[in-house]
Amino acid sequence: MKVALLMGSDSDFPRLEPGLSILKKLGIAFEARVLSAHRTPKAVVDFVEQAPRRGVRVFLCAAGGAAHLAGVVSAHTDLPVIGIPMDNPPLGGLDALLSTVQMPGGVPVAAVGAGAGGPVNAALFAARILALSDEGLAQRYAAWREQESARVAQKDAALQSKL
Ligand code: RP5
């Protein structure tokens, strides 16, 4: 089972890398592509139609501004689609956030927040979906959470030692 991360532009990629790191840490196979709902609409549809045959089960769609990518992908698949609104200037991501969440009834897109947490949470949400039918992944996810909790506890201990 794989995750497909689509981004509207290569300019989105640096902010998406933390999400890909999460997928790698959890041992989730992925494909990552620059495909634009506006600039390469036919390529988006071709990708979405063919991806399930290669094992893709969740789509992550990152786009900024007039962010239509997640909606277009959802219109062409019955698999789960998670939109990642990119926090581009000049509106700081509010435009992409509203474009992503305000889908008409019948064409579902789940959305994560704009900003640094978005790509990470999108990857984690995809992991939770895939873990429903993958016990090994569920265990890796649980281990990752324990490590994260331990990291916070270490930071707290470091802070206490400075006070
Ligand atoms: C969106 O337009 C992309 O997702 C990107 O966030 C934004 C700007 O793209 P570039 O002009 O940097 O290629 O479709």
Side-chain angles (χ1 to χ4, degrees):
M1 290 188 300
K2 267 191 214 172
V3 168
L5 170 64
L6 308 187
M7 63 203 84
S9 170
D10 61 341
S11 65
D12 300 322
F13 182 66
R15 287 165 288 161
L16 297 172
E17 286 191 275
L20 289 184
S21 296
I22 292 283
L23 295 177
K24 286 179 193 164
K25 268 184 205 150
L26 293 174
I28 298 172
F30 64 85
E31 300 178 13
R33 297 284 305 274
V34 177
L35 289 168
S36 165
H38 305 127
R39 292 165 173 159
T40 63
K42 185 169 181 316
V44 170
V45 175
D46 289 347
F47 181 89
V48 173
E49 287 177 352
Q50 290 161 19
R53 279 176 235 145
R54 296 192 303 274
V56 170
R57 293 293 175 269
V58 181
F59 290 97
L60 308 183
C61 300
H68 296 134
L69 184 57
V72 168
V73 169
S74 183
H76 289 88
T77 184
D78 293 332
L79 293 172
V81 178
I82 302 168
I84 307 172
M86 301 307 297
D87 54 350
N88 293 356
L91 301 184
L94 185 58
D95 44 1
L97 177 67
L98 295 178
S99 302
T100 304
V101 298
Q102 292 294 352
M103 289 297 295
V107 190
V109 167
V112 293
V120 169
N121 282 344
L124 291 172
F125 203 81
R128 288 183 178 203
I129 292 169
L130 296 178
L132 289 170
S133 57
D134 181 339
E135 183 53 33
L137 176 55
Q139 287 175 10
R140 294 196 296 280
Y141 189 98
W144 174 84
R145 279 193 81 157
E146 275 177 29
Q147 282 169 14
E148 287 298 294
S149 300
R151 216 161 53 87
V152 174
Q154 280 167 10
K155 285 181 179 177
D156 182 51
L159 174 66
Q160 299 311 315
S161 71
K162 282 187 205 155
L163 298 177

